[in-house]
Each structure stands twice: as C-alpha cells, then as structure tokens.
C-alpha cells in the first residue's frame, strides 16, 4: 500500500509511511478537525501473462468470464468425444466389428 500523504510504500497495512507518521506526531492536529484525503490516481494498466491489458476490475471480470467460457466449451467437446468412444466400444462389444471395417483393413 502507498502512503496517503506522500505516495511512498508503507509497511504492512499502514496508511501512512514512517516519515509522515513521525511528522504528524511532531505537529498534531486537534481532535475534531476535518481531514480531507485526496483520491489516489488510478494505477496504470497492468499487462498479465495472457497478453491482455487490465486496468479495472470490470476488465478482469470480463477476461475471466471469457476464459471460463472457453474452458466450458473445451470440457463439453471432450465429454462428447468420450461419449462417442464409449458408444463405439459398446457397439463393438454387442455386435462385433462391422464387416466394412474388416474389409477396409484387409485391403491394406
């Protein structure tokens, strides 16, 4: 986290860095005084390993949603091929190998 006063890196979950904390102890503010905390500038977009630029939580959510959709599609296709392979094995177990398959391999 960065210091709310000077933007330096803070230790742990501290809101102010050690130098600013020392300065505030030297010049205390009376209780009840309103304090205005300026908005921090938004960080620059970060480039993740996927090659996409991410700047906000919404962008990260949309990217995650696309990845989940692609994984779901891959699992569905894999499941379809698995069902077809099991059906073929059941067919061969019940009826034997079809003649057109044995004829095709005999001609090789």
């Amino acid at each position: 986290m960065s210091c709310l006063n000077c933007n330096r890196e803070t230790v742990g979950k501290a809101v102010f860095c050690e130098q600013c904390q020392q300065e505030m102890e030297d010049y205390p503010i009376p209780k009840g005084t309103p304090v205005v905390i300026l908005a921090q500038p938004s960080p620059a977009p970060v480039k993740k390993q996927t090659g996409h630029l991410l700047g906000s939580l919404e962008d990260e959510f949309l990217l995650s949603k696309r990845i989940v959709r692609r994984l779901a599609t891959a699992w569905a296709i894999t499941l379809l091929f698995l069902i077809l392979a099991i059906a073929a094995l059941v067919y061969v177990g019940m009826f034997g190998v079809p003649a057109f398959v044995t004829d095709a391999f005999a001609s090789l």
Side-chain angles (χ1 to χ4, degrees), residues 76-90:
I77 291 170
T78 303
L79 185 61
L80 177 68
F81 279 116
L82 183 63
I83 291 171
L84 289 174
I86 290 172
L89 288 173
V90 168

Side-chain angles (χ1 to χ4, degrees), residues 2 9 15-16 18 22 50 58 72 75 82 94 96 101 104:
S2 59
E9 200 64 30
V15 180
F16 297 104
E18 292 177 10
Q22 182 62 40
T50 57
E58 184 178 345
W75 275 107
L82 183 63
M94 292 175 66
V101 174

Side-chain angles (χ1 to χ4, degrees), residues 48-102:
K48 295 261 180 149
Q49 290 178 347
T50 57
H52 299 282
L53 283 176
L54 301 177
S56 68
L57 289 176
E58 184 178 345
D59 293 339
E60 287 193 44
F61 175 74
L62 292 175
L63 179 62
S64 298
K65 194 173 176 182
R66 270 188 254 134
I67 291 171
V68 168
R69 195 176 310 133
R70 288 178 186 164
L71 286 173
T73 303
W75 275 107
I77 291 170
T78 303
L79 185 61
L80 177 68
F81 279 116
L82 183 63
I83 291 171
L84 289 174
I86 290 172
L89 288 173
V90 168
Y91 179 85
V92 168
M94 292 175 66
F95 302 108
V97 179
F100 72 90
V101 174
T102 54

Side-chain angles (χ1 to χ4, degrees), residues 7 11 32-33 76 87 101:
N7 254 356
V11 179
T33 304
V101 174

